[in-house]
Amino acid sequence: MEDKLVIGGRELRSRLFIGTGKFSSNEIIPSIVKSAEAQVITVALRRIDFESKDENILNYIPDDCIIMPNTSGARNADEAIRIARLARAAGCGNWIKIEVVSDNRYLMPDNIETIRATEVLAKEGFVVLPYMSPDLMAAKRLKDAGAAAVMPLGAPIGTNRGLRTKELVKILINEIDLPIIVDAGLGKPSEAAEAMELGAGAVLVNTAIATAGDPVKMAKAFSLAVKAGRMAYFSGTGTVKEYAEASSPLTGFLLDK
Amino acid sequence: MEMVTELYIELQYINYEEVWHMSFYGKYMEYRGFDFDGFFNGVKDLDIQKALNKECIDEMDYLALLSPVAEKCLEQMAVKAQQLTFWNFGKVIFLFTPLYLSNYCTNKCVYCGFNVTNDIKRSKLTLAEVEQEAEAISRTGIRHILILTGESRKESPVSYIKECVYVLKKYFSSISIEVYPLEEQEYAELVKAGVDGFTMFQEVYNEELYPQLHMGGPKSNYCYRLDAPERACRAYMRTVNIGSLLGLDEWRRESFFTGLHADYLQGNYPDIEISVSFPRIRPSAGCFKPKYQVTDKNLVQAMLALRIFMPRVGITLSTRENAKLRDNLIGLGVTKMSAGSSTAVGGYSNKNKSEGQFDISDERSVEEIKQLIRSKGYQPVFKDWQQI
């Protein structure tokens, strides 16, 4: 059986999604995408300069990729909805990553506004991928609202801290019948592998690749890690024992005749 | 007499903390009488190391990083500031250009070229001229514009600014204002018209010194100016940029209050993007000589300390600074730069331009700045917002 990720009716072969906001140049994007073997690329609508040939980031994204515009800069549901509509009207397709952030200190997503925006946009036919704080009830509501996947943060965005929300993400993976895509905070390939081993559907990475000494090589490393993590998930990882096993079993006496 | 006594009693019971609760002035007052020199003299090397090892620093750590002692650790501060900037903003520098609409002014700021007592050519752009300027600027690729006026409600009223905004909207994806302090309602009107950014410098936080430098005109009202950024936040601007004009007073204190002000605004208005400029006084008509020296090293220290205090705050660098310094400051915490600037009304398309507000120092074109940023391994970003 081929292991394909299906989102919004599209079969995806790559489980590594790439963010584009922090690279040192647009020109580097094609080689990043290639070495990451990425298919889904997120771009902030606020950054797309449709009128400039050189500066328009879309001109640097390979044609066979899915562009997932995001609503970066939205401070409430209404702004996110307006940005999503503008993106679609501008020809960016019908995928939308909802980001509603009303906190500039930590850039934490606003789950309530995100749910509101998801409800509206899913009804309008968007394939909605909401970025959220990993909360089970919020994730359930996002699913009910029509989200195509749920994107919990691994750690505050841009921190490269790794999968700090592991326990909460695990619950989402167990309970939400949608792909769970860990977005934000993953700083190292091993952390991406960790998320995939848990059963995450995919991961989204930008800062860790963009701020690496060699971003193209780091993209490759993340790609390999995501594949390894996925393979491990299917192979069934061994249980980690927290206590030593007593050499004479504690309940051994029950077997005594 | 009885009434007067009653009033007196009432006044005594006014809770000043409550009155100042919704103003940065309350925070400022907490440091009234604070012995800055004593504090700076007491800072030890170890205090700097401790501050640098912390994940989040507090106000006192911030002040320590602004101390003379911290100058010894500038390199360590730079490494930390650069890392924080990478993580939070990536390898990008946002670009914008200022556009002066009018230099009519009723203020008597001793350091400013637009001072009402200066005999300079006064002018104000007609809407057709605004359009010409917009065309000239937008041809360079610039998508974010900052519009400026002197303080004259008669010559450049809010209605005029609004009309200019309607013209500029056709050419730019983001419009910020740097004009005289307005009422919250007026800011809201401008936001509705399409303005998304606000810039205002307090010039000097030192309340005693302020009247000596702002000798007349509406700008002499210290508190009204101090609270303007907060009114802009309430009016739901997207970005609010503040600063103090370095050189008017001792820069360590002034930078400290600027940082505290930025932190106050970010804390109370988390959905607004707060940023800070570090303008140093430049030569202008009127030939004001700043009382305090602010060296390049001082400027760098002020920027680095702020970045460490507020990892996510925007830091804006204008063409007041020379090319060499600007080149070297990329990567040390700066996130936004002006390029191809003129501080004169009609400076981009009009041959009969007026005198500038101050002399700019980095006169390179937008294209040159773009190439420079690229050569430093950063991406020049022309568009980071659009009308929604």
Side-chain angles (χ1 to χ4, degrees), chain A residues 5 11 22 53 70 73-74 98 100 105 124 135 145 150 202 210 221:
Chain A
L5 171 65
E11 277 192 2
K22 290 176 170 165
K53 186 174 158 280
N70 67 61
I98 299 184
V100 180
R105 269 202 213 277
E124 292 180 11
D135 173 80
V150 174

Side-chain angles (χ1 to χ4, degrees), chain B residues 43-210:
Chain B
V43 176
K44 303 277 181 295
D45 292 355
L46 189 64
D47 298 323
I48 307 299
Q49 292 309 324
K50 273 188 190 161
L52 287 174
N53 288 331
K54 282 187 189 174
E55 200 177 293
C56 297
I57 65 168
D58 61 23
E59 284 170 21
M60 286 298 109
D61 294 322
Y62 175 43
L63 190 56
L65 292 183
L66 287 168
S67 70
V69 178
E71 278 178 24
K72 285 187 274 182
C73 305
L74 227 45
E75 183 57 30
Q76 266 179 284
M77 285 170 69
V79 169
K80 181 156 185 170
Q82 184 181 60
Q83 191 65 66
L84 289 170
T85 312
F86 271 5
W87 284 345
N88 285 295
F89 295 91
K91 292 195 158 185
V92 301
I93 299 280
F94 305 111
L95 293 173
F96 71 98
T97 291
L99 168 60
Y100 280 74
L101 299 177
S102 163
N103 63 1
Y104 287 97
C105 197
T106 53
N107 290 320
K108 294 177 183 171
C109 313
V110 299
Y111 50 81
C112 180
F114 291 173
N115 186 324
V116 65
T117 60
N118 285 343
D119 185 21
I120 59 165
K121 188 186 161 202
R122 302 281 169 175
S123 55
K124 152 182 155 178
L125 298 180
T126 63
L127 293 182
E129 287 167 337
V130 170
E131 186 122 27
Q132 283 171 16
E133 294 277 278
E135 266 172 19
I137 296 170
S138 70
R139 268 200 298 273
T140 65
I142 286 288
R143 309 284 291 129
H144 287 209
I145 194 94
L146 170 69
I147 54 177
L148 301 93
T149 68
E151 177 147 13
S152 170
R153 281 193 175 261
K154 186 166 151 267
E155 297 294 342
S156 50
V158 175
S159 55
Y160 167 73
I161 298 169
K162 229 187 324 187
E163 282 168 7
C164 294
V165 168
Y166 291 136
V167 174
L168 294 166
K169 266 162 94 166
K170 287 185 277 175
Y171 296 90
F172 302 101
S173 67
S174 163
I175 301 170
S176 298
I177 50 163
E178 185 171 350
V179 303
Y180 48 92
L182 302 175
E183 292 293 322
E184 182 183 330
Q185 182 49 39
E186 293 172 314
Y187 286 130
E189 253 177 72
L190 289 173
V191 168
K192 209 172 150 218
V195 170
D196 57 86
F198 161 100
T199 288
M200 184 170 292
F201 302 151
Q202 180 60 22
E203 320 293 13
V204 66
Y205 282 89
N206 182 339
E207 197 183 356
E208 280 79 50
L209 188 61
Y210 189 90

Side-chain angles (χ1 to χ4, degrees), chain B residues 7 20 40 56 68 122 131-132 157 174 179 248 261 267 282 291 313 349 364 366 388:
Chain B
L7 192 68
W20 294 331
F40 287 143
C56 297
R122 302 281 169 175
E131 186 122 27
Q132 283 171 16
S174 163
V179 303
L248 294 179
H261 196 179
R282 293 283 307 152
K291 200 168 157 198
V313 80
S349 61
R364 290 174 293 183
V366 173
I388 58 169

